[in-house]
Amino acid sequence: MASSAGGTDLFQSYEQDFQAACDGIRNKIDQQVPNQSGEQRKATVRAAERELDELDEILGQMEMEILNIPAPSRTRLQAKLRLYKSDAEKMKRDLRRANTVTPRVSERNELLGDFLRESDLDASTMDQRQRLLSGTERLGQSSRRLEDSHRLALETEGIGANILTTLKGQRETMLRARDTLAEADSYIDKASKTLKGMARRMATNKIITGAIILVLIALIALVIWVKLF
């Protein structure tokens, strides 16, 4: 019992470390990365990736610790561990998504405003500012189109897999139908041969019957002739 309590306490300690790491990563994803650009943004992303690696290590320690816990408590903790792993995977996806999204408009405007103030707001700088804004917008649109294309490709792949499965099932059905037809054809051949044999036997029986009748008629005629003459 003491070992079970100790194991549970250690698992709870890992949970606290996990939650603290999640809070730091989530802050970077939701607050820092969207409002940063350039090297500062890259540094924040790298820091978040390192913290995600540490998160994986904590999950691994949890998984090992669960093995030392009795079965009644182990089932409940395994369910919690699956949820933690799902949260970690979601944060990885969110980090990749946040890294592909362009900085917020207010941040871009602030950066461009500093640039304009340093250049005394002359006409050429205004034109360059406009080009930078247009280029940033186009980059954002391209990123969104890439995401849409990726999603469409996944959907198309799923549809293609379903079609292949359907075609495979239809092919198996056609093969079974072909085998059934071949078997039925063999039965028809056998029945046809049987009917032909029966027809031949019936014709033979008719000939034999006719011959017997003729013989009987001849015998009757002979008996009558003998009695009369």
Side-chain angles (χ1 to χ4, degrees), residues 88-200:
E89 291 299 323
K90 184 178 184 301
M91 283 189 288
K92 291 177 182 179
R93 293 193 299 270
D94 291 344
L95 178 61
R96 289 194 294 270
R97 188 179 300 110
N99 193 29
T100 59
V101 175
T102 56
R104 293 175 180 171
V105 175
S106 60
E107 180 66 13
R108 297 200 306 270
N109 290 339
E110 182 180 353
L111 293 173
L112 291 172
D114 293 339
F115 176 76
L116 292 173
R117 285 192 296 271
E118 292 174 358
S119 303
D120 296 329
L121 299 176
D122 55 11
S124 61
T125 304
M126 291 294 293
D127 183 63
Q128 186 174 4
R129 176 179 180 273
Q130 186 61 39
R131 288 198 300 271
L132 286 172
L133 286 172
S134 299
T136 304
E137 291 298 331
R138 286 195 297 271
L139 181 60
Q141 293 174 1
S142 299
S143 298
R144 288 190 292 273
R145 283 197 295 270
L146 284 174
E147 291 177 359
D148 293 339
S149 299
H150 180 64
R151 184 169 58 255
L152 179 61
L154 292 177
E155 293 175 356
T156 304
E157 182 181 358
I159 293 172
N162 291 333
I163 291 173
L164 287 176
T165 302
T166 302
L167 289 175
K168 182 180 179 181
Q170 292 178 350
R171 178 177 179 272
E172 292 176 352
T173 301
M174 292 177 67
L175 289 175
R176 287 194 296 269
R178 187 187 67 181
D179 294 339
T180 302
L181 288 174
E183 186 176 358
D185 188 54
S186 66
Y187 289 149
I188 291 172
D189 288 341
K190 291 178 181 178
S192 177
K193 292 177 181 179
T194 301
L195 289 174
K196 288 179 181 179
M198 291 174 65
R200 285 194 297 270

Side-chain angles (χ1 to χ4, degrees), residues 52-68:
L52 284 170
D53 291 338
E54 295 175 359
L55 209 62
D56 289 336
E57 294 179 2
I58 294 174
L59 290 172
Q61 292 172 347
M62 286 182 178
E63 194 166 7
M64 293 181 63
E65 185 59 31
I66 287 177
L67 299 177
N68 298 323

Side-chain angles (χ1 to χ4, degrees), residues 12-28 51-52 54-55 58 62 84 91:
Q12 290 176 349
S13 175
Y14 289 145
E15 285 184 297
Q16 294 173 358
D17 294 340
F18 180 86
Q19 293 298 337
C22 286
D23 292 339
I25 296 171
R26 182 55 62 187
N27 180 63
K28 290 181 175 63
E51 292 178 8
L52 284 170
E54 295 175 359
L55 209 62
I58 294 174
M62 286 182 178
Y84 292 152
M91 283 189 288

Side-chain angles (χ1 to χ4, degrees), residues 215-229:
V215 170
L216 288 175
I217 291 172
L219 289 174
I220 292 171
L222 180 61
V223 169
I224 293 171
W225 184 81
V226 170
K227 285 182 178 182
L228 292 177
F229 300 102

